[in-house]
Amino acid sequence: MHKLHGLECLRGFAAIYVLVGHLLLSCLQVQHPAVRFVLQFGQEAVMIFFLLSGFVIFWSLRAETTFHQYFLQRVRRIYPIYLAALAVAYASACWRNHGFVAVEGSTLLGNLLMMQDLSFLKPGVWFDVYYNNLPLWSLAYEWWFYMLFYPIERFVPIRFRVPLVFALSLIGLIWYSVLPMQPALYLMYFQIWWLGVEIARAYRASEEGRSSSLKESSAWLLSRAIALPLVMLATEALMLAVRAWFQHRQLGVELRLGMDPVLPLRHFTSVCAMVVIGLAWYRFRFWGFSAMFAPFIYAAPISYALYVVHFPILSAEIFSGIPSPILQAIAYIIVFLAIAWLLEIRLQNLINRITKPWIKGSDKPIPRPT
């Protein structure tokens, strides 16, 4: 089994978790308390995407890759399926309206420029996600993380990278607290994404430097290497807690788990917890990991498309006429899988072949298990 096979399992798990949560809670309106509790952590699943994204970008970046090549690779990987998701969102709105709806040009432009977010959850949002395709909010963050990553990784000395990212994130936090704006959010959350980069860097170093007979040395090296960025992330979580307390006590802002100012605190603290749990689990060679997450490897190759197209299809309620909720769920899942397969396997591979002569080099995907 390849060393990064586990990341693919987590990627598939996060996509399926978000999809199932939306399917059962938002569409089928399941009311069972245990089910609702288990599926209410979709925001934390998105944080897993951020960490995995930072890890994989560092792992796959080649030393000879220019920014021009890097930029085109990111466009090729993100935009074809993203444009399809925007089209699906528009088509779903037309279905709900039983006819054509306005294109909403300004919102569409904001989404095309990767400046979308969720205004009902946080202040300072410039453009809402296109026609209520809620999962698209995280794509804007990841895009700008990619754009920040290359110059820092290429031109900033390694000893200054973590402090620089921390400083940028602090600037974003203070900026957003004083004057809420979307660029401030991208800067603030960059620290979470960059932690994935540092985990990848530390993992590579620990695997290269560990004793072949002592797995514990690898775990110790990894823990030591990411201690500083993890402490910095925890520091920001503490500052976000103070911000939430101040806004509640001094400004009378209601504290709700899924909305600002609690939402970013929830994101930062959950990432700290996940990384600490991961480090502890690593010391035990991820005992039980395969039993829990291995089945999700089959969703990994189509996870991106599943994530970005499922919600508008659910919102269209195309199977609302089916009387059985179970049959509704099965019908939706079949449609999701079919569309995701067409987009990720057929469309993306076709685009990769067409653009290969124009883009020197290519992304290195995480190898599939043999």
Side-chain angles (χ1 to χ4, degrees):
M1 182 181 296
H2 193 274
K3 291 176 182 176
L4 300 188
H5 168 74
L7 299 188
E8 285 285 77
C9 295
L10 286 176
R11 186 157 66 100
F13 164 77
I16 293 296
Y17 180 89
V18 172
L19 185 155
V20 171
H22 286 153
L23 176 61
L24 296 186
L25 302 185
S26 299
C27 180
L28 302 183
Q29 298 293 318
V30 174
Q31 299 298 324
H32 193 285
V35 174
R36 297 190 69 85
F37 174 78
V38 170
L39 294 177
Q40 69 178 336
F41 301 104
Q43 293 284 326
E44 285 72 18
V46 175
M47 296 303 106
I48 293 176
F49 281 134
F50 284 178
L51 289 172
L52 293 178
S53 176
F55 190 109
V56 173
I57 286 298
F58 171 83
W59 199 269
S60 63
L61 186 68
R62 298 177 178 181
E64 69 277 9
T65 302
T66 65
F67 179 75
H68 176 74
Q69 296 164 3
Y70 173 80
F71 179 81
L72 291 180
Q73 288 168 6
R74 294 299 92 214
V75 169
R76 180 176 65 180
R77 179 63 185 110
I78 294 172
Y79 267 91
I81 294 175
Y82 179 68
L83 293 175
L86 295 177
V88 170
Y90 179 78
S92 298
C94 292
W95 178 284
R96 292 194 303 271
N97 193 60
H98 303 291
F100 289 106
V101 296
V103 174
E104 295 190 358
S106 60
T107 302
L108 177 59
L109 178 61
N111 280 250
L112 291 173
L113 295 175
M114 290 293 183
M115 296 299 296
Q116 71 277 2
D117 209 327
L118 305 176
S119 62
F120 67 94
L121 295 183
K122 60 197 78 167
V125 171
W126 291 351
F127 301 96
D128 270 305
V129 293
Y130 193 59
Y131 271 112
N132 204 38
N133 192 349
L134 300 187
L136 295 188
W137 75 270
S138 64
L139 268 294
Y141 286 72
E142 292 211 43
W143 174 260
W144 294 110
F145 296 159
Y146 292 142
M147 294 304 102
L148 287 168
F149 166 75
Y150 188 93
I152 293 175
E153 186 66 23
R154 278 288 184 257
F155 305 117
V156 176
I158 190 169
R159 66 182 181 275
F160 296 130
R161 291 173 192 165
V162 170
L164 174 61
V165 170
F166 180 57
L168 290 174
S169 189
L170 280 181
I171 290 171
L173 193 158
I174 296 169
W175 178 5
Y176 190 71
S177 299
V178 175
L179 183 63
M181 301 176 76
Q182 277 183 245
L185 282 171
Y186 302 149
L187 287 176
M188 182 169 72
Y189 277 78
F190 188 43
Q191 175 72 15
I192 290 178
W193 189 89
W194 191 271
L195 183 57
V197 173
E198 292 303 320
I199 292 172
R201 193 191 319 277
Y203 180 72
R204 176 174 287 173
S206 66
E207 287 295 296
E208 291 173 353
R210 71 182 177 92
S211 168
S212 59
S213 61
L214 293 176
K215 185 68 176 180
E216 291 76 9
S217 64
S218 179
W220 181 79
L221 287 171
L222 181 63
S223 301
R224 186 181 67 172
I226 67 171
L228 179 59
L230 185 58
V231 168
M232 289 178 173
L233 193 73
T235 301
E236 287 196 63
L238 180 60
M239 294 176 67
L240 286 167
V242 172
R243 171 179 174 263
W245 174 86
F246 176 83
Q247 291 194 9
H248 176 64
R249 293 295 298 271
Q250 302 299 320
L251 304 179
V253 175
E254 182 183 1
L255 297 183
R256 298 179 62 182
L257 190 61
M259 298 182 65
D260 187 82
V262 177
L263 187 60
L265 172 62
R266 173 180 167 183
H267 290 155
F268 276 72
T269 54
S270 66
V271 170
C272 290
M274 286 187 286
V275 173
V276 170
I277 291 171
L279 288 172
W281 205 353
Y282 183 51
R283 294 186 64 87
F284 294 96
R285 305 190 182 190
F286 291 113
W287 181 85
F289 181 92
S290 293
M292 295 174 61
F293 296 105
F296 296 101
I297 189 68
Y298 299 105
I302 58 173
S303 58
Y304 174 33
L306 281 176
Y307 178 72
V308 297
V309 303
H310 76 273
F311 195 82
I313 297 174
L314 287 174
S315 300
E317 299 181 346
I318 59 176
F319 297 121
S320 59
I322 299 177
S324 169
I326 295 177
L327 292 179
Q328 278 192 47
I330 293 173
Y332 278 118
I333 290 171
I334 291 173
V335 171
F336 297 153
L337 293 176
I339 294 176
W341 182 83
L342 287 172
L343 292 177
E344 288 263 31
I345 306 302
R346 292 299 188 185
L347 176 64
Q348 188 64 57
N349 286 340
L350 175 62
I351 290 173
N352 290 347
R353 289 196 300 270
I354 293 173
T355 59
K356 187 175 181 180
W358 309 338
I359 304 177
K360 183 179 179 182
S362 61
D363 293 328
K364 292 181 181 178
I366 302 174
R368 307 284 183 244
T370 56

